[in-house]
Amino acid sequence: MESLISIALNSVFVGNILLAYFLGMCSFLAISKNMKTATGLGIGVLCVLTITTPANWLIYNRLLAPGALAWAGLAQLNLSYLKLVLFIATIAAIVQGLEMLIDRFSPALYAALGVFLPLITVNCAILGVSLFMVERDYTFTESVVYGVGSGAGWALAIISMSAIQQKLRYADAPEGLKGFAINMITTGLMAMGFMLFAGISLE
Amino acid sequence: MEKVNEVLLKPWKFLRRTKSYKEVARALWEANPISKQILGICSTLAVTVQMKTALVMCFGLTLVVAFSSLTISLMRRVIPKNIRIMAEVIVIATLVIIADELLKAFMYETSKQLSVFVGLIITNCIVLGRTEGYALMNPPFRSFMDGLANGIGYSSVLMGVAFARELLGSGKLFGHPVIPAGVYEWGYINNGLMLLAPGAFIIIGLFVWLEQTLLSKKK
């Protein structure tokens, strides 16, 4: 249980997928101008990560890992090099399915979230979390916690960034610093803030 | 006849007039603002702590962009329009797998350091952007050159960041100490912040600031 809590805390703060590993920067910089859309995209990424990470865990550990096909009598097979292709296909399929489901059952939610879903497929954070999950040898429960935590961390980062940007509009920055440059430096300062959580230990 | 003479006597002049040259020049000089390239860089920033890993990453990325542009351009007449993104992603993913396996075979230590970031070339905006925006409409050789030039343009930014981070963060370049020991005795300390993620963000911010200021002066 303790390890689960520390994975959750780590993925939200210290090992924040955006601020410590630079994943999902494209949509982070493009969408963070408006708080409402930023919240929508953040929630979208959280939902998709919650589903794709465990799904990719199952695919990797039941089909691709060395010896995973032992139940089919192919114990010597190692298909792990196929993980890149299969993961990205799974993510695309799940996002597409999610889009259709939301459209069918909740048009209101679709109106709010629908435009962001296709964007999420090409978000490197989604593929990155699945790859980290494989690299760190998480169990199934751990991968669920890691997926939710990373999604929450990404959402937290983009929502706070959009709040900061609204205030920045009234700041008097030098001409060359305006726009992209000041956003990067702000992100750097935010990353520093998130790293302060590194001191927390649960033992 | 005159033209042939001209080509033989001044090959560089002829070269400059070819379309490939123009594309390469465009990708390297005119359309290479740091801010634009950084959008594609995103995930690769994580490997800029050391110049060595950054160089390997740049090399892999440049080859993947170049060859995916070439492949997509060769297939551009047979790819149906509706599923082109799927086809592009599959081509890129295959090339990335090849790059990843090669790295594991010949440079195992570096591939461990690069960890998941080689795989993340697949979702890199630049690679998909070049195949989607250029290779789908242009002949193979020009697409290849375009991919190569974009990869190099992007690598130059990445290497700049890696240079600053390794020099300021650990006082080394390519793993060799470059700051004399005497400087440390006077009380110089390496800036550990540069090795952490915030360092990369701040360096990029400063680079773009510098670039914007220089560009606005030119105008």
Side-chain angles (χ1 to χ4, degrees):
Chain A
M1 192 61 206
E2 249 168 38
S3 77
L4 289 185
I5 296 174
S6 83
I7 286 178
L9 276 182
N10 188 49
S11 56
V12 178
F13 296 112
V14 186
N16 188 300
I17 199 78
L18 179 85
L19 297 171
Y21 293 104
F22 311 97
L23 300 179
M25 290 284 298
C26 312
S27 24
F28 173 77
L29 289 169
I31 307 292
S32 63
K33 283 185 191 71
N34 180 324
M35 188 124 181
K36 211 172 160 195
T37 43
T39 317
L41 186 68
I43 293 173
V45 167
L46 174 61
C47 298
V48 172
L49 271 178
T50 311
I51 304 171
T52 53
T53 318
N56 278 338
W57 188 92
L58 286 176
I59 288 183
Y60 185 76
N61 283 286
R62 292 286 170 270
L63 292 175
L64 303 178
L69 282 174
W71 51 270
L74 298 162
Q76 74 282 17
L77 219 56
N78 177 3
L79 294 175
S80 55
Y81 63 90
L82 280 178
K83 66 175 186 275
L84 292 176
V85 178
L86 267 183
F87 281 3
I88 198 102
T90 319
I91 291 167
I94 286 178
V95 172
Q96 193 75 54
L98 207 64
E99 198 181 338
M100 283 168 3
L101 271 183
I102 295 177
D103 191 19
R104 170 75 181 75
F105 291 108
S106 165
L109 187 64
Y110 184 75
L113 218 61
V115 280
F116 302 119
L117 284 170
L119 256 180
I120 292 174
T121 313
V122 289
N123 188 327
C124 19
I126 313 286
L127 182 64
V129 167
S130 288
L131 293 175
F132 272 125
M133 174 260 304
V134 167
E135 199 188 62
R136 294 178 189 169
D137 269 334
Y138 284 146
T139 64
F140 184 70
T141 346
E142 281 170 347
S143 78
V144 176
V145 174
Y146 182 60
V148 178
S150 301
W154 201 89
L156 188 65
I158 191 170
I159 293 170
S160 21
M161 184 64 189
S162 67
I164 295 175
Q165 281 210 7
Q166 290 196 339
K167 295 276 173 202
L168 266 181
R169 254 180 247 160
Y170 305 106
D172 189 21
E175 200 49 48
L177 199 58
K178 267 182 194 156
F180 187 84
I182 192 76
N183 285 348
M184 285 314 269
I185 292 179
T186 314
T187 315
L189 295 176
M190 241 164 80
M192 259 189 246
F194 272 60
M195 287 204 153
L196 296 183
F197 288 91
I200 295 180
S201 81
L202 289 172
E203 278 91 75
Chain B
M1 194 59 207
E2 202 178 291
K3 202 178 170 201
V4 173
N5 263 337
E6 198 187 5
V7 170
L8 287 177
L9 290 173
K10 292 177 179 166
W12 61 91
K13 260 198 176 166
F14 175 73
L15 191 72
R16 252 186 228 170
R17 244 179 262 155
T18 60
K19 234 175 165 177
S20 312
Y21 177 84
K22 280 180 191 147
E23 291 299 340
V24 170
R26 203 182 56 81
L28 276 181
W29 284 287
E30 288 151 41
N32 188 18
I34 300 179
S35 46
K36 209 172 257 173
Q37 297 281 12
I38 292 302
L39 270 191
I41 265 179
C42 52
S43 54
T44 37
L45 274 179
V47 298
T48 52
V49 175
Q50 290 175 348
M51 289 187 84
K52 195 182 151 213
T53 49
L55 189 67
V56 175
M57 186 72 184
C58 289
F59 194 64
L61 192 122
T62 308
L63 288 185
V64 170
V65 190
F67 281 98
S68 61
S69 285
L70 176 70
T71 321
I72 290 291
S73 177
L74 283 173
M75 305 197 303
R76 70 188 187 281
R77 288 183 216 283
V78 291
I79 299 176
K81 212 165 179 347
N82 318 346
I83 59 155
R84 66 181 193 284
I85 301 254
M86 202 64 188
E88 286 159 17
V89 169
I90 300 267
V91 168
I92 296 168
T94 314
L95 284 163
V96 171
I97 291 175
I98 295 172
D100 197 26
E101 295 291 313
L102 281 176
L103 268 181
K104 273 186 197 146
F106 296 108
M107 306 178 83
Y108 188 71
E109 284 308 310
T110 319
S111 90
K112 275 274 156 223
Q113 281 175 321
L114 290 174
S115 78
V116 305
F117 294 101
V118 176
L120 285 172
I121 295 178
I122 299 179
T123 49
N124 192 305
C125 322
I126 284 197
V127 187
L128 199 63
R130 280 346 281 175
T131 52
E132 173 80 12
Y134 195 90
L136 269 181
M137 285 153 293
N138 287 288
F141 181 69
R142 245 191 281 157
S143 303
F144 181 79
M145 291 312 279
D146 175 75
L148 203 65
N150 271 284
I152 293 171
Y154 165 112
S155 304
S156 61
V157 180
L158 204 64
M159 291 309 287
V161 178
F163 174 78
R165 283 182 85 186
E166 195 176 1
L167 184 67
L168 297 175
S170 46
K172 292 175 182 167
L173 289 178
F174 285 104
H176 300 292
V178 286
I179 293 181
V183 182
Y184 287 102
E185 279 163 23
W186 293 339
Y188 176 81
I189 301 172
N190 286 326
N191 185 354
L193 177 71
M194 284 300 146
L195 299 181
L196 299 173
F201 284 119
I202 290 170
I203 295 257
I204 292 277
L206 295 178
F207 269 6
V208 175
W209 185 10
L210 184 74
E211 192 206 20
Q212 295 280 334
T213 315
L214 291 181
L215 280 183
S216 66
K217 260 192 198 141
K218 222 190 241 171
K219 277 170 200 161

